Structure formats: C-alpha cells, structure tokens
Amino acid sequence: MTHEMVCAGFGGQGVMLIGQLLAYGGMLEGKEVTWFPSYGPEMRGGTANCSVVISDQPVGSPIVAEPDGLIAMNGPSLMRFKGVVKPGGVIVYNASLIEELPEQPAGVRLFAVATNELAQEIGNDKVGNMVALGAFLGLSKVVGLASVEAALEKVLPERRHHLIPLNISALRRGWALTEG
Amino acid sequence: MERVMMKGNEALAEGAIRAGCRYFFGYPITPQNEIPEYMARRLPEVGGVFLQAESEVSAINMVYGAGGAGGRVLTSSSSPGISLKQEGISYIAGAQVPCVIVNVARGGPGLGGLNPSQSDYFQATKGGGHGDYRLLVYAPGNAQEMVDLIGLAFDKAEEYRNPVMILSDAIMGQMMEPVALPAMRTETTEKPWATTGKQGRSKPNIINSLGLVGEDLERINIELQAKYARLAAAEVRYETDGTGEADLIVVAYGTSSRVVRSAINRLRQEGKKVGLFRPITLWPFPKEALASLAAEGKRFLVVEMSAGQLVEDVILAVNDRAKVSFFGKLNGTVPTVREVYDRILSSLPEGGEG
C-alpha cells in the first residue's frame, strides 16, 4: 500500500512541518517514507508545498503528481491541487481562508476545517496547521495519531518542546472533528 | 538500527563527518547549501575546519592543499560552481591527491536554473578538466546511499590516491528520507606520501602535477592509466531489479531511477516484465553487466534528465547487440511517473503486449 500526499499553503502556515510529521510518523510505524519540499526562488508570502509518500515498499518517485490526500491551507493551494487528487482521495481545506465552497471533484471527499478559529479556541492561532493535520489523519488513517504525536519530539527543535502539549491538543481537536 | 529522517544533503554531510572528514572548503550555491551549512555547524564540534572561501577556485585549491597534507577533505557545489573547480580537479588528479567532490547538480548550461538535472554526466565521467584523468564517480539513489557512498568515497579516494566525485542532484539533496547513521570512525590510514614535514626522512615529500620533461609526463600518465585500469576492474557498482526475466530493461540513475521505479511497479501490477538497471558508479561504468544482458537479447530504454549523456555509455556497452531507446527530459524538468510509464509501454516488444 502506498499513500501519496501534498500539503500546501502560504509560507509561514507550517505546511512543511505537517508534511514532515506525516512522514516521520510513517517512519515510526516502520514504513518507507519520503518528504520533498518545493524549493527555489520562492516568493515571500507565496505558496509553499511538500510531497509526502508513505509506503510498505521502497519509495520510487518522491514527487507526488496525483495525490490521494491533500491538505490545502489557502485558496491558491486548493485551486492548484484539487483537480489532481485521485478518486477515493481526501482533501482537508482551511475554511477560515477559503469561504466559498469549492466545487467537489468527482469521487473525492472534501472536508472543511476552520483552522484559525479552532486554533484560537485552543489558545494559540499558530497551531491551525496541526488542527488540519489531525482532521486529515482522522479521515485518511494514513498514520496513527499516536505516531504523529511521537514524531513531534523528533521534528520540533528542543527549544520548542514546551509547545508539544499545545500541538497535541490541536491534533486531537482536528481528529475529533472527524469522529461520529 | 535507529532511523532518523534527514535531507539528502544533510545525510551526506553527517556521513562525511562520521567517515572521518575534518576539512571542508566551499562557496555557497543553491541547491547544495545545506551541506556547507551543516558542516559549518558540525565540523567545529569534532575539531575540524570549515572555511568558506572567496570563490570556488580558491575552495578547490584549499582542498588540493589539505588533501596533499593528508587530511580527509570535502568540497561541494552545484553545476556552475563545479565548472569553476575543474582546473583544480585536473591538478588534484594529476598530483594523485585524495579528496571528495560533491556536485548537487542543477540545470545548465551557464547559470541555468535551480531545478534538478542530470546534464553534468559527461563533465563528471569524461573529464571536465584537461588531461587524461578519471574520477571515481558515485551516483546515490536515496538518502541512505548519501551516507554510505560518502563513507566509501573517502576510503576509495585514499586507497587509489584519486579524487572521487559524488554526482547528486537537487531532488536527492532536498528530499528527506529515513537513514541509519554509522558509528563515528576514528581509524586513520597511513599516508607516507603526505606533506607533513620531513620527520627524519632525507627527502621531502613533494605534491605537484608537473611533468616538464617528455618522458616524465609519459611515465606519469602510464602510471595513472594503470591505476584507472585497477579502479575499473575492482570498483564497478550497480543495482538490478528484475532484469533476469525482463522483456525491457530501463537504465537510469539517481532521481530518474526513482521515477522509473514507480513506473515499473505500476507496469508489473499489470503483468508487464520490466526491469531496472541502476548504475551506482557512473565511472567506472558497469559496461560488462550491460553487455551480458544485451547478449541475452534484452531491449533497453535509457531515462535521464538530460539531452542524452548516459545513453551514450549504454550504447557503447551493448555495442550493437541490443536495441537502445532513449527518453530524456531537458534541464529543469523531472519526468513524471505517467510519462515514464507511457514511454516504457511503447518501448516494450509487440507494442507492450508482453
């Protein structure tokens, strides 16, 4: 089984981080994984994205052209990638920035998360990315929530470790949206 | 062994440190900057020297000096920067000084762009600088090989007293994958030729690449060619996957080989017999292994991110015994899995009805 995902948004929304958490969580579950960032002459305030592959086999191409999962944290990212998500796939999008409900791609589950408002409820508006990731995990079950929580310790630098409980709350808040 | 996620560039840098590399000289250029950044932080922790030179030309000549004095020394750059280093590389090869040079290749010619490319294959394997010299050239295909091959590169550089190149590319460098890191190595090799002072000997060691008298230069070149022949006989590396039963063998290295692997996996699910042949040493090239597959009547497809460089070595290796087709993407674009899938399908015997 191979899962291919894209995390995309504005620079600063933490899309690279949630991509790394997905990959690291997959690795902690014994899977083969890759994480590949968009890079180069990127514009400040422009969009950033990363490709994540999680598989039972050695990963071939680390560049994901047709994902089965998408986390879109802003409108331009949703517009750019929603058309290439495979049927049966999942899109989690940031309803705080994307007001108009986009047209539903055929066979793809579209799930709105008001990441900014939910993050503020938790007490820090910077963890919207974690709320989105939690919801994505709840829908796709690509990686266990516990593995991603364990990955926080590996991915975040030590000076940020005091923020791990806050990030875990945000992940669980996102996950809870998908229950029931 | 515990695995950690690292970018290819960082995995290579940590692999170098653990293989005993203690000197780095370089000059910044995207997409290899993670290597000097990592070395700048890490080398002082292990008592090493990191120095950002004023240019690539200075950096490669610092490598020449440090290698001549017996140090395990690394430099890294990307395509235009590697072009600037070529004079120094030729001198280092001529003087038989061990060192490792990393090219995290980007598109050219000229300043080109920042995207990944494999258009430096000729430069890496056929010379680059002047004179009849060879580099041992490794092409890693994943982050673990970044660690493993950089360690091997330092050992082989010293064993043969020859510069070794790691030919990587922007994707290999930027991608994160799990790696298992080896323990820190502490053993050192004896280097009686190094310029470390006379230490009681009657004659000083001299490192240079000068052979002004005709017979001297001929003798030096005969000695070098004998060394390259030893290298070619002993150091060939490659990986095969399903080549035995394949109707078509795809030849690719580095990033291209990753895309090819995805395409092949899809084709195999559809019952097609497609194999992968991945050169790990680009020089010496695994020509005998390819020649014997050609003798078995295999067809070949070469996939690379260039206008056609690796394909020339494959054609030379199979020497008219097999059909070789080519799919190349020009600088700055990576083939998609679908493109490679389609191309393999149309290259299969009987139009793909394998």
Side-chain angles (χ1 to χ4, degrees):
Chain A
M1 196 62 194
T2 299
H3 296 283
E4 299 183 303
M5 289 144 290
V6 170
C7 304
F10 287 127
Q13 283 184 308
V15 294
M16 297 299 184
L17 177 64
I18 56 177
Q20 285 186 15
L21 287 169
L22 265 173
Y24 227 118
M27 186 193 81
L28 293 177
E29 292 183 3
K31 302 281 174 52
E32 298 301 327
V33 300
T34 58
W35 174 90
F36 180 69
S38 61
Y39 73 96
E42 306 286 13
M43 223 169 27
R44 189 179 168 134
T47 57
N49 72 80
C50 61
S51 294
V52 176
V53 184
I54 301 178
S55 180
D56 300 325
Q57 298 171 357
V59 178
S61 176
I63 303 169
V64 175
E66 296 160 41
D68 41 40
L70 169 66
I71 301 175
M73 293 296 287
N74 66 359
S77 299
L78 184 63
M79 291 315 289
R80 180 171 164 194
F81 292 106
K82 78 178 166 97
V84 296
V85 176
K86 281 194 255 184
V90 175
I91 298 175
V92 168
Y93 72 94
N94 181 6
S96 306
L97 292 183
I98 305 163
E99 287 173 10
E100 222 170 303
L101 191 70
E103 195 187 323
Q104 183 107 8
V108 173
R109 179 157 186 201
L110 208 52
F111 194 83
V113 180
T115 63
N116 297 11
E117 290 77 4
L118 290 165
Q120 276 159 14
E121 272 178 36
I122 293 158
N124 187 322
D125 55 11
K126 289 202 178 110
V127 293
N129 58 340
M130 295 294 158
V131 180
L133 176 59
F136 180 77
L137 294 172
L139 292 170
S140 66
K141 306 283 196 296
V142 169
V143 181
L145 188 59
S147 306
V148 171
E149 290 179 6
L152 280 166
E153 206 173 302
K154 309 276 185 186
V155 174
L156 293 178
E158 218 149 284
R159 64 179 194 282
R160 299 261 182 258
H161 278 194
H162 65 283
L163 296 169
I164 288 175
L166 174 72
N167 282 280
I168 288 177
S169 304
L171 281 167
R172 290 181 182 176
R173 186 75 181 85
W175 177 284
L177 297 172
T178 67
E179 284 177 328
Chain B
M1 194 183 262
E2 198 206 347
R3 298 194 301 170
V4 291
M5 292 279 288
M6 290 181 101
K7 273 191 172 191
N9 281 339
E10 292 171 348
L12 179 136
E14 182 61 30
I17 299 265
R18 291 184 184 224
C21 171
R22 291 296 176 269
Y23 306 93
F24 181 98
F25 307 102
Y27 188 80
I29 183 170
T30 304
Q32 62 83 54
N33 284 325
E34 291 82 5
I35 299 174
E37 184 188 356
Y38 194 94
M39 292 306 246
R41 186 173 67 241
R42 200 66 177 93
L43 272 170
E45 291 175 3
V46 293
V49 173
F50 170 90
L51 204 151
Q52 180 176 316
E54 67 271 39
S55 73
E56 286 86 350
V57 178
S58 300
I60 194 67
N61 283 291
M62 291 172 184
V63 168
Y64 186 9
R72 279 208 154 180
V73 54
L74 177 70
T75 185
S76 70
S77 190
S78 179
S79 308
I82 294 290
S83 292
L84 285 164
K85 291 184 198 282
Q86 290 301 333
E87 180 201 52
I89 294 172
S90 172
Y91 278 55
I92 292 169
Q96 302 204 56
V97 167
C99 68
V100 180
I101 303 140
V102 176
N103 182 1
V104 185
R106 61 188 238 183
L111 264 182
L114 306 181
N115 283 340
S117 173
Q118 295 182 318
S119 53
D120 295 351
Y121 179 93
F122 282 157
Q123 186 194 53
T125 60
K126 314 277 179 198
H130 60 282
D132 263 330
Y133 74 92
R134 291 289 187 178
L135 305 178
L136 173 56
V137 184
Y138 291 114
N142 54 51
Q144 186 63 54
E145 281 190 352
M146 289 284 207
V147 176
D148 298 343
L149 292 176
I150 190 83
L152 192 65
F154 280 109
D155 291 344
K156 295 301 172 186
E158 289 179 3
E159 182 182 337
Y160 291 96
R161 285 185 60 190
N162 207 64
V164 178
M165 178 170 277
I166 306 272
L167 184 58
S168 170
D169 68 57
I171 289 186
M172 286 292 139
Q174 298 294 325
M175 171 177 59
M176 260 187 171
E177 284 189 302
V179 292
L181 294 165
M184 186 77 83
R185 282 203 262 158
T186 48
E187 83 277 17
T188 49
T189 341
E190 287 294 310
K191 291 168 186 161
W193 48 265
T195 51
T196 49
K198 275 168 77 178
Q199 298 180 352
R201 291 186 311 270
S202 56
K203 272 181 152 180
N205 285 341
I206 295 171
I207 304 263
N208 75 20
S209 62
L210 190 66
L212 276 183
V213 182
E215 299 80 42
D216 278 358
L217 192 54
E218 187 185 27
R219 181 187 51 73
I220 290 167
N221 270 290
I222 288 170
E223 193 184 305
L224 286 175
Q225 292 304 318
K227 177 171 82 174
Y228 301 145
R230 284 201 313 279
L231 241 158
E235 301 303 336
V236 171
R237 280 170 191 258
Y238 57 92
E239 183 201 353
T240 59
D241 178 4
T243 49
E245 57 279 9
D247 295 323
L248 177 82
I249 295 171
V250 187
V251 186
Y253 69 95
T255 289
S256 295
S257 74
R258 300 291 296 260
V259 181
V260 167
R261 205 183 284 278
S262 289
I264 287 178
N265 285 344
R266 257 188 225 181
L267 284 152
R268 284 184 183 159
Q269 283 168 9
E270 296 163 13
K272 303 284 190 282
K273 291 180 185 148
V274 187
L276 170 67
F277 187 99
R278 180 171 72 92
I280 295 171
T281 49
L282 302 180
W283 199 89
F285 191 68
K287 54 186 176 191
E288 268 121 36
L290 280 169
S292 52
L293 287 166
E296 290 170 30
K298 305 291 187 190
R299 286 180 183 218
F300 296 89
L301 169 68
V302 179
V303 177
E304 57 182 314
M305 288 151 24
S306 81
Q309 303 194 9
L310 166 70
V311 66
E312 290 195 4
D313 278 339
V314 175
I315 289 170
L316 280 171
V318 308
N319 195 16
D320 277 346
R321 277 167 297 198
K323 186 173 174 343
V324 179
S325 25
F326 170 68
F327 179 48
K329 293 289 278 188
L330 292 182
N331 283 329
T333 50
V334 181
T336 64
V337 175
R338 187 171 291 271
E339 281 175 321
V340 175
Y341 170 96
D342 288 343
R343 184 54 74 103
I344 294 174
L345 211 53
S346 64
S347 306
L348 276 166
E350 294 93 49
E353 304 308 314

